[in-house]
């Protein structure tokens, strides 16, 4: 999906088993869920769960064409078709194996002496008089490093904890077709072992696909499809591994001589209980087993008068079980052998188990009619109805009181902790229709409607009506149009409305929360309470979209150009509205309040040609999207260093403006007051309101969002010569900034480490032309929210490059093989970005570096067809 015009696809987490993509189509128009609707062979399903080898085509509906899917189509629609059998029976086998490693990692200080001296200096510069490390301790450590790496370690924990990951995938399919039938059966196997040490980042996935149909009679055609998988994956019990790595220090001992886990004999502020990355990765585990199957039966029956009746029934069954267990964990002082318990001895070992049971039912009926009049008037119509029910059931239980880590079953525990459960139901009922008129392939007209009813809204507010109309004109087919150069010239226009029901279930009615204790007669009793105010009148968000476009092919279709301009306005946005605490101290209700615009343009250009046996082509696209909040009824929504308000993009940065770095204490004294500890080397802020004091009133709103890029683009090339192929694709974004915070982004934050740039690029009296301010700890005036720390998060990335070779048929015919292709492939190999501290793709819309990084992948494999 990356590189598709108008589509922003992002994968901010590459952890095996839990990696999920974020897809945005033509910006973000809501403050609730902005994910598009994904339909697989006409049934709603997850794109992340499909076996890529089973996908035949992917179509993105961005304009009014999505209105036929009315409900949940406001964020766009992705249509996926799976592969079908074609022609004579064939067996296809594909395999690849690869190695993976992180694209970017923070460049941490791994020299203990440099770390301790810089930490002391940061404390002094912040105004802290009590230093972490005495001169005697530093001298002892420096001397001991030469002889005792256990007591005086110099550890780079990223190097210790990370390794090359391994990925391999096998796919086998059998497919074919005849006059009255087609079939395809596929099996897949994926094995991924991640880049983090320990057993907690491994995934295995087994998938199955079936697509078969038969012409039962001249009028009746029926078929079955199946998409399913079984997978299991693991995570550490304490699954904040990347936060622990960001907090690990070079003075932290890995293991003692006898294998026990160490900590440090040095007293360090903020590190009373050391997070030991190895201990937390190898002890305690989460294992999740998931099986999900989407089974569909469908039939098509030809009625009189050119009417066709279609029926489809789908069942999407999800079953999951999450098992978690942690033993008791301890670290030891390498000098005194003093033990420190990491987890509470009264609650460890402990075990959790969660059972997930979801059942989704989909039922569709349509009547289609087509007819041609006078050889040129092509008319078609469709009406239909659908029913979708989503049932979810979850059960949790946990136990304490285990003797040791030998047994982890719930029944092996002796102390009950908790048992919870939850059941929900979500229903959507819809009626829809479409009418098409085509005159001689020159004038095209389509109108659609959809009428949706959702159980997420209360009585009287459940139904929404979503119409659309679109038109096209093939100018190149007009008799007056004569051109030997232009092969296709088509103009398009559309307008339509779509809905969004992305609000939590039962938001329209007050709910009672249990376990709200109260005092009755001086005795504390258990009870329940309503904690959220509810608005029973909430209903659909509505997105109205307008689109105009043109398609042009020239020079015997060697060059193809597509241009689209659009505007989307979302009204009645479903969001939580704040209310005064005097109103029962309740959380605000969900209401239809707010309007957001997205306006943009998309351009796609490709060129294809050949010179003798050399086939070549280049392609590219670019899209610009302007996101703007039109109305929030006067409310401003604050979140960290961002604000959402009228006249600005969603999640616009709201920060102080920096004005360089103070070069002297005299300059500090003459400037507006910032802080009693402000000194030379600190960041200087602008006094925007002129009151002589730097505070929150001096913040300004920047025309830059943390979550919605202004520009998305992609380009690439393909070459082919006598069985040799070389293909490459690039993808990028622009007009978006990142604001990293927390450990490593802020030096020595909460007892963590710092990056090496603070050793070389920080302001000192001898280095006044520095890029960074004077080194301080996280709580100093340097780290107020300001544009000084904003990072340009634009990037260009080579997403994929592949070199392949197809063996000559004259070789293969001797062994009765139809086709063999071998290839080598690379993903995420090159990235061009001004932001160097972490991966620019994974940090987008994130504030910390605590996540599984993006991965570079090198792999090779083959495809064989019998």
């Amino acid at each position: 999906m990356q590189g598709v015009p108008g589509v922003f696809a992002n994968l901010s987490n590459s952890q095996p088993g839990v990696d999920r993509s974020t897809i945005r189509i033509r910006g973000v128009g809501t403050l609730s869920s902005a994910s598009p609707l994904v339909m697989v062979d006409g049934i709603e399903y997850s794109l992340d769960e499909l076996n890529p080898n089973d996908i035949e085509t992917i179509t993105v509906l961005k304009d009014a064409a999505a209105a036929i899917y009315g409900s949940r189509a406001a964020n766009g629609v992705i249509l996926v078709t799976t592969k079908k059998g074609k022609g004579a029976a064939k067996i296809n086998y594909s395999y690849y194996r690869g190695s993976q490693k992180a694209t970017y990692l923070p460049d941490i200080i791994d020299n203990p002496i440099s770390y301790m001296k810089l930490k002391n200096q940061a404390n002094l510069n912040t105004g802290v008089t009590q230093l972490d490390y005495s001169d005697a301790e530093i001298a002892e450590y420096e001397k001991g490093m030469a002889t005792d790496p256990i007591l005086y370690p110099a550890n780079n924990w990223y190097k210790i904890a990370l390794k090359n990951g391994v990925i391999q995938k096998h796919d086998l399919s059998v497919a074919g077709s005849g006059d009255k039938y087609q079939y395809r059966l596929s099996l897949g196997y994926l094995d991924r072992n991640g880049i983090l040490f320990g057993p907690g980042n491994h995934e295995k996935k087994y998938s199955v696909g079936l697509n078969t149909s038969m012409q039962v009679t001249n009028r009746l055609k029926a078929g079955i499809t199946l998409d399913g998988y079984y997978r299991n994956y693991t995570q550490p019990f304490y699954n904040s591994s990347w936060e622990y790595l960001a907090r690990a220090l070079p003075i932290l001992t890995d293991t003692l001589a006898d294998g026990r886990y160490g900590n440090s004999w040095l007293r360090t502020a903020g590190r009373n209980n050391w997070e030991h990355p190895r201990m937390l990765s190898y002890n305690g585990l989460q294992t999740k087993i998931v099986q999900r199957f989407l089974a569909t039966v469908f039939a098509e029956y030809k009625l009189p008068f050119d009417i066709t009746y279609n029926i489809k029934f789908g069942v999407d069954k999800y079953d999951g079980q999450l098992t978690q267990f942690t033993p008791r964990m301890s670290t030891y002082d390498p000098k005194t052998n003093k033990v420190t318990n990491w987890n509470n001895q009264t609650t460890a070992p402990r075990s959790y188990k969660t059972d997930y049971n979801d059942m989704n039912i989909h039922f569709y009926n349509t009547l289609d009619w087509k007819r041609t009049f006078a050889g040129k008037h092509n008319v078609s119509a469709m009406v239909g109805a659908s029913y979708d029910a989503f049932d979810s059931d979850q059960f949790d239980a946990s136990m304490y009181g285990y003797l040791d880590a030998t047994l982890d079953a719930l029944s092996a525990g002796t102390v009950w902790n908790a048992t919870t459960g939850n059941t929900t139901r979500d229903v959507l009922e819809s009626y829809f229709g479409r009418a098409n008129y085509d005159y001689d392939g020159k004038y095209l007209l389509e109108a659609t409607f959809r009428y949706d009813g959702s159980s997420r809204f209360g009585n009287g507010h459940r139904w929404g009506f979503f119409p659309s109309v679109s038109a096209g004109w093939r100018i190149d087919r007009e008799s007056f149009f004569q051109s030997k150069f232009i092969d296709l010239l088509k103009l398009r226009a559309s307008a339509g409305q779509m809905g969004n029901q992305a609000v939590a279930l039962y938001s329209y009615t007050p709910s009672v929360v249990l376990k709200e204790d109260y005092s009755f007669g001086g005795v504390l009793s258990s009870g329940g309470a309503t904690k959220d105010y509810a608005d029973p009148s909430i209903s659909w968000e509505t997105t109205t979209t307008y689109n105009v476009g043109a398609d042009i092919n020239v020079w015997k279709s060697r060059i193809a150009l597509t241009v689209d301009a659009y505007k989307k306005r979302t009204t009645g946005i479903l969001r939580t509205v704040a209310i005064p605490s005097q109103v029962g101290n309740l959380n605000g209700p969900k209401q239809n309040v707010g309007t957001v615009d997205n306006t943009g343009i998309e351009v796609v250009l490709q060129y294809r040609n050949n010179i003798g046996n050399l086939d070549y082509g280049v392609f590219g696209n670019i899209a610009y999207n302007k996101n703007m909040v039109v109305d929030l009824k006067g409310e401003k929504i604050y979140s960290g260093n961002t604000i959402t308000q009228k006249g600005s993009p969603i999640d616009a940065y709201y920060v102080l403006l920096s004005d360089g770095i103070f070069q002297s204490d005299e300059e500090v004294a003459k400037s507006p007051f910032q802080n009693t500890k402000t000194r030379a080397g600190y960041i200087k802020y602008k006094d925007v309101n002129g009151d002589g004091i730097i505070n929150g009133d001096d913040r300004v709103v920047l025309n830059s969002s943390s979550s919605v890029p202004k520009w998305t683009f992609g380009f690439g090339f393909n070459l082919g010569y006598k069985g040799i192929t070389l293909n490459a694709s690039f993808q990028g974004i622009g007009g978006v900034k990142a604001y990293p915070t927390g450990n490593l982004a802020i030096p020595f934050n909460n007892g963590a480490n710092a990056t090496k740039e603070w050793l070389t690029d920080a302001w000192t009296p001898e280095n006044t032309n520095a890029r960074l301010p004077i080194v301080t700890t996280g709580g100093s005036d340097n780290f107020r929210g300001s544009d000084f720390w904003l990072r340009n998060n634009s990037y260009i990335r080579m997403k994929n490059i592949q070199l392949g070779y197809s063996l000559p048929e004259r070789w293969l015919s001797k062994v009765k093989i139809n086709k063999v292709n071998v290839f080598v492939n690379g993903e995420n190999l090159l990235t061009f970005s001004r932001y160097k501290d972490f991966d620019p793709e994974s940090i987008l819309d994130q504030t910390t570096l605590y996540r599984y990084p993006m991965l570079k992948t090198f792999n090779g494999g083959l495809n064989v067809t019998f």
Side-chain angles (χ1 to χ4, degrees), residues 373-679:
F373 300 92
K376 292 185 178 182
H377 299 272
N378 303 299
V379 181
S380 65
M382 180 271 291
V383 292
S386 65
Y387 175 85
D388 302 272
F390 305 87
D391 291 285
S392 178
D393 190 351
Q394 180 176 325
F395 177 81
D396 307 80
S398 59
M399 293 288 289
Y400 298 158
Y402 289 80
L403 178 64
D404 54 27
T406 304
L407 298 176
D408 62 1
L410 289 176
S411 59
T414 59
V415 180
W416 171 83
N417 177 44
T419 304
T420 61
N422 190 40
T423 301
T424 63
R425 189 157 209 244
D426 183 16
V427 175
L428 186 70
E429 187 176 338
S430 307
Y431 304 91
F432 47 88
R434 176 174 56 213
N436 292 83
Y437 174 72
D438 164 11
Y439 175 74
D440 199 25
K442 291 188 295 185
Y443 311 118
L444 313 171
L445 183 65
E446 178 179 277
T448 71
F449 78 89
R450 182 148 182 142
Y451 190 51
D452 286 318
S454 172
S455 65
R456 290 175 182 256
F457 307 121
N459 290 330
H461 304 279
R462 288 180 171 170
W463 291 90
F465 182 72
F466 308 106
S468 77
V469 61
S470 59
W473 182 20
R474 286 287 300 270
I475 301 176
D476 60 286
R477 292 190 174 183
E478 294 287 1
S479 58
F480 63 79
F481 187 87
Q482 300 293 328
S483 175
K484 295 182 180 180
F485 181 67
I486 299 177
D487 306 300
L488 181 147
L489 178 57
K490 180 180 180 181
L491 300 182
R492 295 174 282 104
S494 65
Q497 290 187 327
M498 291 153 282
N500 189 353
Q501 56 161 358
V503 67
L505 294 174
Y506 319 120
S507 295
Y508 63 88
T509 186
S511 58
V512 175
V513 179
L514 299 180
K515 298 182 180 179
E516 294 295 321
D517 297 340
Y518 64 100
S519 178
F520 184 76
V523 179
L524 193 65
S525 304
S526 61
T530 295
K531 303 185 69 175
D532 300 296
Y533 183 80
D535 183 351
S537 67
I538 58 173
S539 191
W540 294 86
E541 289 183 8
T542 301
T543 295
T544 304
T545 181
Y546 306 93
N547 191 96
V548 293
D551 304 314
I552 306 172
N553 290 1
V554 300
W555 197 15
K556 296 182 179 179
S557 295
R558 292 188 181 100
I559 299 176
L561 172 67
T562 300
V563 180
D564 282 275
Y566 65 88
K567 180 173 182 178
K568 291 168 50 180
R569 168 161 288 192
T570 303
T571 57
I573 291 176
L574 289 162
R575 65 182 185 90
T576 301
V577 178
I579 59 176
S581 59
Q582 294 92 329
V583 186
N585 198 30
L586 298 175
N587 297 320
K590 300 290 191 301
Q591 290 186 325
N592 293 99
V593 176
T595 301
V596 173
D597 278 356
N598 283 275
T599 308
I601 188 169
E602 301 165 359
V603 180
V604 182
L605 180 64
Q606 64 178 9
Y607 172 73
R608 296 174 296 180
N609 205 349
N610 68 285
I611 302 174
N613 292 320
L614 175 64
D615 297 315
Y616 62 94
V618 293
F619 59 89
N621 67 79
I622 187 167
Y624 170 79
N625 182 80
K626 180 182 179 182
N627 179 260
M628 183 69 66
V629 177
V630 177
D631 181 39
L632 282 181
K633 299 299 182 183
E635 188 175 359
K636 297 180 180 180
I637 303 173
Y638 302 93
S639 178
N641 292 313
T642 68
I643 187 173
T644 299
Q645 66 171 7
K646 179 181 179 179
S648 301
I650 292 175
D651 294 328
Y653 283 107
Y654 185 49
V655 292
L656 297 172
L657 297 179
S658 59
D659 193 20
I661 296 174
F662 286 115
Q663 297 300 319
S664 66
D665 290 339
E666 290 76 16
E667 184 182 2
V668 174
K670 294 178 181 179
S671 299
F673 177 77
Q674 294 187 183
N675 190 286
T676 56
K677 296 181 180 180
T678 306
R679 51 174 291 185

Side-chain angles (χ1 to χ4, degrees), residues 37-204:
L37 174 67
V38 178
M39 304 291 285
V40 178
D41 292 330
I43 299 288
E44 182 179 353
Y45 198 61
S46 171
L47 189 60
D48 289 303
E49 306 292 14
L50 278 178
N51 182 354
N53 200 58
D54 289 339
I55 296 176
E56 179 76 26
T57 63
I58 296 179
T59 304
V60 181
L61 303 183
K62 298 175 286 187
D63 57 12
I68 191 66
Y69 295 96
S71 60
R72 302 157 296 165
N75 301 314
V77 179
I78 299 174
L79 304 180
V80 180
T81 61
T82 57
K83 293 178 180 178
K84 299 177 175 63
K86 298 177 183 178
K90 293 180 181 178
I91 299 175
N92 183 266
Y93 170 73
S94 62
Y95 165 77
Y96 69 80
R97 182 182 178 89
S99 176
Q100 298 182 309
K101 65 178 182 180
T103 53
Y104 282 75
L105 290 173
D107 190 14
I108 60 171
I109 299 172
D110 52 9
N111 182 293
I113 307 306
S114 298
Y115 158 76
M116 287 188 281
K117 289 182 177 179
L118 191 67
K119 177 65 181 300
N120 282 348
Q121 187 62 52
N123 282 329
L124 291 172
N125 295 340
T126 310
V128 178
T129 56
Q130 184 176 355
L131 303 182
D132 283 25
Y133 313 107
S134 67
D135 291 341
E137 289 173 329
I138 294 175
E140 176 190 344
Y141 205 103
E142 188 168 21
K143 180 180 179 181
M145 287 171 62
T147 58
D148 192 344
I150 293 179
L151 194 57
Y152 307 97
N155 286 331
N156 183 320
W157 278 95
Y158 282 99
K159 291 183 178 179
I160 293 173
L162 302 185
K163 56 184 175 62
N164 285 345
V166 177
I167 181 172
Q168 64 171 324
K169 192 172 191 298
H170 301 261
D171 282 288
L172 178 67
S173 66
V174 181
S177 67
D179 293 338
K180 294 187 177 183
Y181 65 89
Q182 71 82 23
Y183 64 92
R184 183 178 184 272
L185 173 66
S186 66
L187 300 173
Y189 170 70
L190 173 68
D191 189 343
R192 298 172 61 196
N193 196 4
I195 63 172
L196 182 69
F197 61 4
N201 63 147
H202 189 205
E203 176 191 20
K204 287 188 176 182

Side-chain angles (χ1 to χ4, degrees), residues 1-9 603-604 619-622 712-715 729-732 799:
M1 297 298 294
Q2 288 180 319
V4 175
V7 176
F8 168 60
V603 180
V604 182
F619 59 89
N621 67 79
I622 187 167
T712 58
F713 54 87
F715 59 92
S729 61
F730 296 77
Q731 173 263 340
K799 293 303 299 182

